Amino acid sequence: MNGITHDYMEEYLRGLIPENEGILRELENFAKENNVPIVQKETAKFLEFMVSMKKPKKILELGTAIGYSSILMYLASGCEPHITTIERDESMISVAEQNILNYNFSDNIKIIQGDCLEVLEKLQEEYDLIFMDAGKGHYNHFLPHCLRLLKEDGIIIADNVLFRGMVASNDLVKRRKITIVKRMRSYLEMVSGDNSLITSVIPMGDGIAVTKRR
Ligand code: SAH
Ligand code: MG
């Protein structure tokens, strides 16, 4: 049990997904060897699905890490989207930049260095898709900015919203994580309770919430 799905279910669902080859495989191997937390396999597939359906021209990502999910979304879209991705950790940024350069994505994937909230406050452009995957304890603070930056028919995909099940059950909450958990609950209540929005929370991976305007 990862606090969200049973092990047998996770293993089965992952087993259905073929191994990637090429760029994504290389990045997955790097992430594994260096303990970089990239999107889980089934979450990656969901993201690919959403991007290939939505065909976003402009994507905003919170949390670049080594650039894996940015590159995955780029490849899945098939329409050469422009991706802006925010990361605060300099060592991650240097790996991501190298990857983006090596694989020739520099024209389409731009990293902004900084804290998501500070960067969000300054951004002015609108995006077709926003992928939230950094700063779990601040999704509730990111939301107003993400809604301001979201095109009329845009989608927000938020990862890790169930945070190992802790968000759904106090019995699972680790004392040190209580603030993150409370704020994540607040995020889910905001996106679920707001009548101008429509949200679906999916207990897959570490929990995914998909939000759009009604
Ligand atoms: N989306 C990536 C994984 C991101 S992991 C992928 O699936 O490939 C989360 C990243 O967010 C980490 O690299 C961490 O350094 C960064 N991060 C966490 N909090 C942040 C914040 N408040 N502002 C900017 N980056 C943050
Ligand atoms: Mg994540």
Side-chain angles (χ1 to χ4, degrees):
M1 259 307 260
N2 60 10
I4 300 175
T5 51
H6 292 283
D7 292 343
Y8 76 88
M9 188 60 74
E10 195 171 279
E11 272 166 37
Y12 177 69
L13 296 179
R14 280 188 193 171
L16 291 173
I17 303 171
E19 290 295 340
N20 282 312
E21 284 167 26
I23 300 174
L24 293 175
R25 178 69 169 272
E26 286 170 27
L27 295 174
E28 285 160 13
N29 290 342
F30 179 92
K32 203 168 183 182
E33 282 158 23
N34 296 278
N35 285 319
V36 179
I38 59 170
V39 277
Q40 300 182 20
K41 212 172 168 191
E42 60 278 26
T43 306
K45 193 52 75 182
F46 178 77
L47 205 54
E48 254 185 85
F49 182 95
M50 294 299 289
V51 168
S52 71
M53 227 174 86
K54 175 74 185 157
K55 305 230 179 302
K57 297 264 181 309
K58 286 180 63 191
I59 300 176
L60 176 65
E61 174 179 72
L62 314 189
T64 316
I66 59 167
Y68 177 77
S69 50
S70 279
I71 292 174
L72 175 125
M73 290 191 281
Y74 178 85
L75 294 172
S77 77
C79 66
E80 306 191 0
H82 283 274
I83 303 179
T84 302
T85 176
I86 308 170
E87 174 61 57
R88 66 174 175 200
D89 182 313
E90 281 181 36
S91 58
M92 284 293 174
I93 293 178
S94 59
V95 178
E97 281 197 319
Q98 201 56 57
N99 286 331
I100 290 165
L101 199 68
N102 286 349
Y103 296 119
N104 274 319
F105 297 119
S106 308
D107 288 344
N108 293 77
I109 305 177
K110 307 275 183 223
I111 304 172
I112 301 182
Q113 177 168 10
D115 179 80
C116 288
L117 192 57
E118 287 170 20
V119 175
L120 281 170
E121 280 167 358
K122 292 185 194 125
L123 289 178
Q124 296 293 345
E125 290 176 53
E126 290 194 330
Y127 300 88
D128 303 291
L129 189 145
I130 300 179
F131 179 47
M132 258 194 230
D133 195 23
K136 286 189 272 292
H138 296 283
Y139 282 16
N140 56 337
H141 304 131
F142 299 158
L143 182 64
H145 292 287
C146 290
L147 290 171
R148 172 177 61 81
L149 298 169
L150 192 69
K151 284 205 182 134
E152 200 51 45
D153 59 351
I155 304 176
I156 299 174
I157 302 176
D159 190 26
N160 309 100
V161 296
L162 296 175
F163 197 19
R164 298 177 220 147
M166 288 187 257
V167 171
S169 168
N170 280 335
D171 294 343
L172 296 171
V173 177
K174 303 259 187 334
R175 192 188 268 269
R176 297 184 289 123
K177 306 290 187 192
I178 188 74
T179 305
I180 295 181
V181 168
K182 282 186 180 160
R183 291 184 180 163
M184 192 60 91
R185 285 176 185 159
S186 147
Y187 176 79
L188 290 178
E189 284 156 19
M190 283 158 82
V191 289
S192 304
D194 184 332
N195 273 330
S196 69
L197 302 174
I198 172 159
T199 292
S200 176
V201 183
I202 307 164
M204 180 205 283
D206 199 30
I208 306 169
V210 209
T211 298
K212 68 184 282 293
R213 290 195 176 87
R214 257 184 216 283

